[in-house]
Amino acid sequence: MPENSTETPTTAPATDTQVTRLSVNINAETAAKLRWYKDHKGISITETVRRAVALLDLVERETANGSEVLLKSRDGKSVRQLWMV
């Protein structure tokens, strides 16, 4: 839009304060995993889903850029590569 335009955009740019309500269908196993994480961390289901999406985004962006995602055991003796299909 030109700088001197008087038109008002029809949609505002997305911000962290904007809320989008989603309805999704998931199986019982996935729902149980979400509930376990929610309870384990003491957070809302919304925060649980936000964290899951943020993690997926991180892994996808890093692997798209050629990085490998590795999981190292607590004792440091075992390393596994995480593959996203």
Side-chain angles (χ1 to χ4, degrees):
M1 191 176 337
E3 285 182 315
N4 60 358
S5 173
T6 58
E7 293 179 23
T8 305
T10 54
T11 57
T15 66
D16 286 342
T17 58
Q18 238 177 344
V19 174
T20 300
R21 181 173 289 278
L22 299 176
S23 175
V24 297
N25 297 315
I26 57 177
N27 63 26
E29 181 182 0
T30 301
K33 288 176 182 178
L34 286 171
R35 281 192 297 273
W36 178 87
Y37 188 84
K38 172 188 101 53
D39 294 341
H40 178 72
K41 293 293 184 177
I43 59 176
S44 68
I45 198 73
T46 298
E47 179 62 14
T48 301
V49 171
R50 190 198 66 74
R51 289 181 185 189
V53 170
L55 179 59
L56 177 62
D57 180 62
L58 172 68
V59 170
E60 289 290 341
R61 287 176 187 269
E62 289 297 324
T63 56
N65 287 326
S67 297
E68 294 178 338
V69 179
L70 304 174
L71 301 172
K72 184 171 70 169
S73 64
R74 189 175 290 219
D75 63 9
K77 294 180 181 178
S78 174
V79 176
R80 295 183 298 166
Q81 184 174 3
L82 179 64
W83 290 87
M84 300 295 289
V85 190

